[in-house]
Amino acid sequence: MAHSYEKRILRVLEYIHENPAGDLSLDTLADVAAMSRFHWHRVFHAMTGETCAQAVRRVRLYRAANWLIYKDWSVAEVARRAGYPNVQSFTRIFTDAFSVSPGTFRTKGSLSDFPTRKPKGTYKMFEVEIKRTPARHIAALLHKGPYTEVGPCFDKLANIATKTKLWPNVECMVGIHYDDPNVIDEANLRCHAGLSVPGNVPVPNELERVQLQGGDYAILHYKGPYEGVKIAYDFLFGKWLAETDRIPLDAPCYELYLNNPEDTPPEQLLTDIYLPMAA
């Protein structure tokens, strides 16, 4: 239920408040939330409207602002307790947030000057169903870089399938996404462009075999251009998941492309997003 995920988020925010100078990495916060590292950040971002990094920065600055006003600690001590490696980096980040230096804030500022978090906004609605899904065998090429630039990788994949006469065995085209674009720089995003084939079909040497596990999946049905699929992920992680008592598995999402972009208008493209769920 929604309160389960809200409790996880509140537990993480409380942990950040209590440990501003501690290990606040994504892995640590996922452990505090008791959630999959694959999906925790997407849930947090979709439900709160800010990334984990933004939340850590906001809480650290809030604690620092309190200490500057109510404690007689030096600026260096405030920086250390707030989790900043040195006074220079703390001063730069604090000044960027408050438009005054820590020293000036101590004499002239107030907590009413603290920048507030923007509301997360509303979600477009999508149909989601939970369905038992068999394992899939994928003949794939690895793409590294912006997800929106995966097209040439699919073109290369199609050429290989044509050359090796793989098409008669292809069930559908698949995209497997390993990284959250809200966290990872675009240049380092990783995904597989793939073709789903029966398990007994040999995979051409130019391709690698990737297996997607079977089990329960939450399947979101998206209709529209591939460039707009982010709003579907935001709904899946920010609204739908918050209203269920199911927990995602520690495994990546994948997408099935149900029609051909070469002969289908962008607004008519059909994509199913598969989110692996614990039983």
Side-chain angles (χ1 to χ4, degrees), residues 9 14 39 65 84 101 107 111 135 137 165 184 191-192 209 227 240 265:
I9 288 172
E14 182 179 0
H39 305 298
Y84 292 94
S101 69
T107 57
L111 292 180
H137 302 273
K165 297 181 171 55
I184 305 299
C191 68
H192 270 114
R209 184 183 292 275
E227 293 80 4
W240 181 84

Side-chain angles (χ1 to χ4, degrees), residues 1-9 35 42-44 46-48 120 123 128 218 233-248 275 277:
M1 302 298 288
H3 67 271
S4 171
Y5 285 90
E6 290 168 1
K7 285 181 178 179
R8 294 171 194 271
I9 288 172
M35 273 198 65
R42 280 190 184 273
V43 170
F44 186 92
M47 290 189 66
T48 67
K120 64 180 179 181
Y123 298 105
V128 181
Y233 278 96
D234 288 344
F235 172 82
L236 182 62
F237 285 98
K239 184 170 176 61
W240 181 84
L241 193 61
E243 295 175 354
T244 180
D245 58 357
R246 301 293 292 269
I247 302 296
L275 171 64
M277 306 297 291

Side-chain angles (χ1 to χ4, degrees), residues 65-137:
N66 269 277
W67 291 332
L68 286 169
I69 292 175
Y70 297 113
K71 299 289 187 180
D72 60 0
W73 300 334
S74 67
V75 172
E77 180 67 7
V78 169
R80 184 185 69 79
R81 289 176 179 262
Y84 292 94
N86 53 62
V87 174
Q88 291 77 17
S89 64
F90 170 63
T91 299
R92 182 178 66 255
I93 294 169
F94 190 95
T95 303
D96 180 63
F98 288 91
S99 299
V100 295
S101 69
T104 301
F105 182 87
R106 166 165 271 165
T107 57
K108 298 181 179 180
S110 74
L111 292 180
S112 62
D113 300 324
F114 188 73
T116 57
R117 177 163 57 90
K118 295 180 181 178
K120 64 180 179 181
T122 58
Y123 298 105
K124 182 178 178 180
M125 303 296 288
F126 295 91
E127 178 189 351
V128 181
E129 60 176 331
I130 294 181
K131 192 174 180 181
R132 194 77 177 171
T133 302
R136 297 182 188 274
H137 302 273

Side-chain angles (χ1 to χ4, degrees), residues 19 39 51 75 127 138 159 162 166 170 180 270:
N19 302 276
H39 305 298
T51 66
V75 172
E127 178 189 351
I138 312 299
N159 289 334
T162 299
L166 185 63
V170 171
D180 182 350
L270 301 176

Side-chain angles (χ1 to χ4, degrees), residues 193-233:
L195 302 171
S196 179
V197 296
N200 60 354
V201 171
V203 170
N205 292 334
E206 300 97 319
L207 306 179
E208 60 179 300
R209 184 183 292 275
V210 178
Q211 181 158 331
L212 296 171
Q213 67 189 63
D216 286 353
Y217 281 81
I219 306 169
L220 181 146
H221 306 292
Y222 169 77
K223 182 178 181 180
Y226 297 141
E227 293 80 4
V229 75
K230 179 183 182 300
I231 61 174
Y233 278 96

Side-chain angles (χ1 to χ4, degrees), residues 1-54:
M1 302 298 288
H3 67 271
S4 171
Y5 285 90
E6 290 168 1
K7 285 181 178 179
R8 294 171 194 271
I9 288 172
L10 290 173
R11 187 163 69 236
V12 167
L13 291 173
E14 182 179 0
Y15 182 85
I16 297 170
H17 271 279
E18 292 177 352
N19 302 276
D23 177 7
L24 300 179
S25 65
L26 283 179
D27 281 355
T28 295
L29 297 182
D31 287 342
V32 173
M35 273 198 65
S36 154
R37 287 167 174 75
F38 263 109
H39 305 298
W40 155 246
H41 189 271
R42 280 190 184 273
V43 170
F44 186 92
H45 181 257
M47 290 189 66
T48 67
E50 63 182 348
T51 66
C52 286
Q54 289 169 335

